[in-house]
Amino acid sequence: MKPAVFDYYRPATVEDAVAALGTSETAKVLAGGQSLIPAMNFRLAQPDLLVDIGGVEDLDRLEVGSEGVMIGASVTQSRVMSSDEVAGAVPGLRRALGHVAHLQIRNRGTVCGSLAHADPAAELPALAIACGATMFIRGPAGERTVDAGDFFLGPFWTDLAHGEIITGVHFPSEPAGTVTFLDELAWRAGDFAITGLAAALATGDGTVSGARMVSFGVSGVASRMTGAEQAVLGFAGGDDGSDLYEAAYEDAADAVDDVHATAEYRREALGALVVRNVRAALANGNGRGV
Amino acid sequence: MTSDSPTRINPMISHRAAHIGRAVLRREDRSPLTGRRRYVADLRLPGMLEVAFVRSPEAHARIISIDTGPALALPGVHAVFTGADLDDVAPFPHKILYIQPVGQTPLAVDRVRYVGSPYAAVVATDRYVAEDAASLVAAHTEFESLPAVADLDQALAPDAPKLYDDWPDNYLVNYPAEKEEVTRAFEEADHTYSDTFVSPRQTGLPLECRGVLADVVDGQVTLWSSTQSPHIVRTTIAEMTGIPEPRIRVITPAMGGGFGTKTHIYPEDVVMPWISRRIGRPVRWIEDRFENLVSAVHARDQRHDVDVAYDDDGTIRAIRCKAYCDVGTGEIFMPGTAPVFVTGGCLTGAYDFPNMEVHHFCVVTNKTPSGAYRGFGVPEGLLVMEGIIDQVARRTGVDRVEIRRRMILQEDQMPYVMHGGGRIDSGSHAKSFERVAELIARSLERIRAKYADDPDVRVGVGYTNYVEPTTPTYHLTTGHWAGYDSATLRVDPDGAARVGLGTTDLGQGTETTAAQLVADSLGLDPDDVTVVMGDTDRAPYGLGAWGSRSAIVMSGSILMAADRVMVKAREIAAHMLEAAAEDVVLTDGEFHVAGSEAPSVSWSQVATAAWVRTVDLPRGMEPGLEMSGYFEPPDLEHLPDASGKVNAAASWSNGAHAGVVSVRISTGELKIEDYVIVHDCGTMINPMIIDGQVQGGVAQGVAGAMYEEFQYDPETALPRFASFMEYLYPTCSEVPEMTIEHFETPAPEQPLGVKGCGEGGTIGPGAVVAGAVSDALADLGVEIKATPITPSAVRQAIREASGPGGST
Ligand SMILES: Cc1cc2nc3c(=O)[nH]c(=O)nc-3n(C[C@H](O)[C@H](O)[C@H](O)COP(=O)(O)OP(=O)(O)OC[C@H]3O[C@@H](n4cnc5c(N)ncnc54)[C@H](O)[C@@H]3O)c2cc1C
């Protein structure tokens, strides 16, 4: 399949990019192209204008500070994954990116592109929610920020309005006594998840005292697992974990059936993933996703 | 074997270093690795236009009208053709008389029966414009949807919608059978039971999709097509279009795989030259992956309803199998009817099991037509046979290995005639199984120990013992062609040889092995041999590469041609040496009188006399040094006898596979921890290439065992796949490490004792992984009877075995 006709524009500033997006109702941001180009080749997406942000000044910033990591919109997944500084501040990023596609794709794909694309089975949206990340957005009306927890609305659907660009995402540093991890089941290495779990657990004293747990690949959107987050409090790995399993199973009540797995499978698998990862996090202080 | 077809290298030739049996490096690897190999998609001609096919979005519909006007109005569009425009082209031939005719036209006319069926073609300056125009044609086609048939049960329901109005039902083939001995065994056996096994839809999935470039100039057709059988494409085009066959040249440039899918003659092979002739320009069509998934043949999609009779001591008395193949619409040439017969004939694997009754059915549904894929029906059968053995072992408490040991073919039973007529000439069946069982027992222990502390993980082992029919007749598949292949061998004035072969190379290393064969049969170095294939003007008529046939047919035809060249060369050399021809021998490429190495005459001197200095030839000898061999494999039958039995393969390789699989109960995750193959394909021409064939075959077997399945919506019969997001093949990360060992039991009646090795690897993994998972989960009562075995399928099996509520 071949894409339909489109125009291509490569602006140098965010202002220009936003202005260009405003000229057409179907214009789209082009970042790494690893999701957009396949969709265009299948003619599932037929934008009449691509605004390539690869040359926009300042969007290639990757900054690690005491507060956390700021990732500009044109920063590739590989760059983030290979930075030891990033891994020191937000260990979950390297762990999550290890599950994202393959090296060649990560060399082009961007972190912000994945967040904007909001594939329900993608790792990074779930991680962003678990970590409490913040999106920095620029649009015709200026700048705004949105918490990851409020950003993902449904399959390939976010809080972004037409003409808005994510200029960067901020991941806060992992607090002391917290472990952040991501684990998933996929039939093949590098695939999108069939069932995935991203979590940040406060485990300071060998007992879970706080949790943010997010499922992905299970339903139409990366979702907080409210039941499991409750059930896990006070869990110290002692019992068989069946309450935690049941809570996760219930959290996945809206699991989807598709060619790869049944909804029932996703529910069971999410339960199993939660139990085994929480156990491992308590045991090693880092979770299986490492 | 005809009296003058040699079975071994001419005894007058001796070498210090022979090449057959050595791991000669593949000469065809350099160009693909350096980006210099030329596939159809790399070719372009001056003035060339691009074609896009318009394909049905409907599973089953009448075409009410097609308005090509909007597409034609698009700038850059040169022409749009619909099925009706090709009224001067005959439908695809109907050659197999016991199957129903489908009347397939090159483009669908009036009615489409599957999503992907081509019904119009757009010609434009480039593919982008062609795609735009194709979308416009699609948007301006009015369909009237018809009820669609999505699977076997729907197709066979009493009130099923019919795909072909003039058929009585949806059976393309309906071939029941009854065997008295089997009926009797069911009456006498201690126990009987019934079960069902399923091998779903897959495809060969070559890295290179199909592609056709056609150029018709002054009535001369040149067609570049990514096909495994260029001569058959040529004959078929001639038959359908009336273009004289000598005016058609079909070229297969380098191929990036075929795996059986490119043995078929597709609509595009016929439509493209028709378009070029009509518009007077070269035209090219390159299949994209979506088209490949919906319009290149699918395969497998079989269901086996079995009845089993067995005794308390673990003896399996008889099996009755109703083998159903869902062949899609059947609109493909050659039809997809043969694989299920191969399933039936080979279902008993490497076991001595005569009491087998197989009923064969091919059923049409509104899905992509199915056809050939590596393994060609054999993997489906072994899933059934090994599954039954394991079930009987479980039911009787007799050891699974012990039952196999009792049943496996022994050397003193050779030649052994199978229940369907297959005549196994030789093999190492029992020996291979013993070896594989020994190897796997060791790793089983190691892997059990590795997981001993993890109560969530179970470990199991699976086995299979198969026979691989090679060099089959094409007559039962095509109703037309049969079994031979050809070689034309020439020695040029410089003493180097050139061989033209009727077989083709689709990546399996044929150029290298052919050069080894020619080198040894003329006493040359492989570097002095040029191999020409895949061009109907430069290579002799032949049937192409499929059915693991190239090793046998190349060996046979090359040896025949080489012996004929040798007879003449020897006479020329004898004349030059002033000796009698009988006294002349060839040592390391030099002719001399036996016993005295000097004086000698080189190949170059002999060939120069034959082609150039013909004054040096013996008086009255015809010039030239080029000979052909047309080799029909001995022992190959083309039609069944009165009882329906036929030895449809020239030889039978064998193999034993075993694998250890770990299964995580909570998530169904499974992993092939070890995989062992003991393989016997007779004399090995090039052991390295054979290992590659086995590894690649196992990779595709693993694909079927654990990953690949084309799913269709049960209500609409629409495909639930459009890309590799839905159809998952294993990558190098998923294919397990494997151990390969070989026995070499030469084929007694085939040239050099070779048998063929292209498909064996594919046959094993389905049965092995199913057996291993069932074994691992035996205490939960799990029996795996369908592939692909995904974690979701494993969990489902656990749930069903342990009843409602059976989680974790
Ligand atoms: C074979 C393959 C396997 C893959 N496997 C995985 C996987 O396992 N897990 C996974 O998460 N992903 C996977 N991906 C997707 C990959 O991670 C993509 O790179 C990512 O989803 C999108 O990032 P991108 O930079 O390529 O965005 P693009 O493809 O350029 O854009 C994607 C979408 O986001 C929009 N967009 C991009 N950037 C911005 C921005 N800054 N502001 C506003 N809108 C924006 C675009 O307009 C477009 O709609 C896979 C891709 C391939 C090809």
Side-chain angles (χ1 to χ4, degrees), chain B residues 118-366:
Chain B
Y119 68 90
V122 174
V123 189
T125 45
D126 62 46
R127 182 66 178 267
Y128 298 95
V129 177
E131 291 286 341
D132 291 344
S135 311
L136 284 173
V137 174
H140 292 87
T141 304
E142 192 189 334
F143 291 105
E144 178 196 326
S145 298
L146 296 171
V149 172
D151 59 34
L152 282 175
D153 287 333
Q154 293 179 17
L156 298 179
D159 55 348
K162 283 195 290 184
L163 267 77
Y164 300 93
D165 298 338
D166 50 347
W167 294 12
D169 47 36
N170 286 320
Y171 281 109
L172 183 63
V173 171
N174 185 342
Y175 206 79
E178 209 173 310
K179 260 187 180 173
E180 245 177 70
E181 315 88 89
V182 170
T183 311
R184 209 171 325 114
F186 270 88
E187 286 161 9
E188 295 167 2
D190 295 344
H191 308 279
T192 66
Y193 71 94
S194 302
D195 213 333
T196 293
F197 293 83
V198 177
S199 293
R201 268 186 175 237
Q202 269 187 272
T203 188
L205 212 64
L207 197 53
E208 181 210 15
C209 296
R210 297 179 298 133
V212 182
L213 165 58
D215 191 24
V216 183
V217 180
D218 295 338
Q220 166 72 42
V221 179
T222 311
L223 190 81
W224 289 263
S225 178
S226 185
T227 175
Q228 295 173 233
S229 302
H231 293 275
I232 294 182
V233 169
R234 174 166 166 263
T235 298
T236 308
I237 292 174
E239 179 171 344
M240 291 174 66
T241 62
I243 297 170
E245 195 156 345
R247 311 211 72 183
I248 304 171
R249 178 181 182 189
V250 178
I251 302 169
T252 299
M255 278 177 84
F259 308 112
T261 64
K262 295 177 183 171
T263 56
H264 294 270
I265 316 304
Y266 287 93
E268 296 86 354
D269 289 319
V270 181
V271 176
M272 293 298 288
W274 183 93
I275 293 177
S276 177
R277 188 165 61 154
R278 170 64 78 90
I279 69 170
R281 305 261 300 250
V283 288
R284 190 178 74 163
W285 163 74
I286 302 300
E287 184 183 59
D288 67 30
R289 188 57 71 179
F290 169 72
E291 292 182 291
N292 184 258
L293 293 179
V294 294
S295 72
V297 288
H298 292 179
R300 318 271 193 251
D301 210 353
Q302 292 192 25
R303 187 181 86 202
H304 304 96
D305 294 339
V306 298
D307 303 318
V308 180
Y310 67 99
D311 289 344
D312 286 322
D313 66 358
T315 306
I316 304 173
R317 296 286 296 266
I319 299 173
R320 185 182 292 127
C321 174
K322 295 210 165 91
Y324 294 91
C325 185
D326 173 345
V327 295
T329 71
E331 295 166 302
I332 186 72
F333 183 74
M334 34 292 304
T337 44
V340 74
F341 287 93
V342 175
T343 306
C346 300
L347 199 146
T348 50
Y351 302 107
D352 174 11
F353 195 82
N355 275 356
M356 183 79 218
E357 176 183 299
V358 189
H359 309 240
H360 299 92
F361 308 103
C362 293
V363 178
V364 291
T365 60
N366 291 109

Side-chain angles (χ1 to χ4, degrees), chain A residues 28-38 53 73 77 99-102 105 108-117 119 121-125 160 164-167 184 190-193, chain B residues 725:
Chain A
K28 274 197 170 287
V29 173
L30 174 68
Q34 298 303 292
S35 296
L36 181 55
I37 300 296
I53 57 170
Q77 296 160 356
H99 290 277
V100 176
H102 302 274
I105 294 157
R108 279 202 167 266
T110 62
V111 169
C112 291
S114 176
L115 298 173
H117 191 57
D119 189 303
E123 290 79 6
L124 295 175
L160 274 184
E164 285 188 320
I165 298 176
I166 303 179
T167 54
E184 70 181 40
D191 274 353
F192 282 99
Chain B
M725 292 290 281

Side-chain angles (χ1 to χ4, degrees), chain A residues 1-5 42-43 185 187-189 191-192 245 257-262 264-265 268-269 272 276, chain B residues 127-128 131-132 288 664 666-667 669 707 711 720 722-723 725-726 728-729 734 790-792 795 799 807:
Chain A
M1 290 234 163
K2 312 290 170 281
V5 176
F42 276 98
R43 298 194 171 202
L185 298 170
W187 293 180
R188 306 179 303 181
D191 274 353
F192 282 99
Y245 176 97
D257 245 317
D258 65 13
V259 289
H260 303 305
T262 61
E264 180 64 14
Y265 175 80
E268 294 174 340
R276 83 182 186 199
Chain B
R127 182 66 178 267
Y128 298 95
E131 291 286 341
D132 291 344
D288 67 30
R664 198 167 274 282
S666 60
T667 57
E669 289 166 278
Y707 298 95
Q711 293 183 21
R720 295 180 74 194
S723 73
M725 292 290 281
E726 298 82 21
L728 305 186
Y729 54 85
E734 282 73 41
T790 63
S792 183
R795 279 298 312 161
R799 233 180 280 130
S807 53

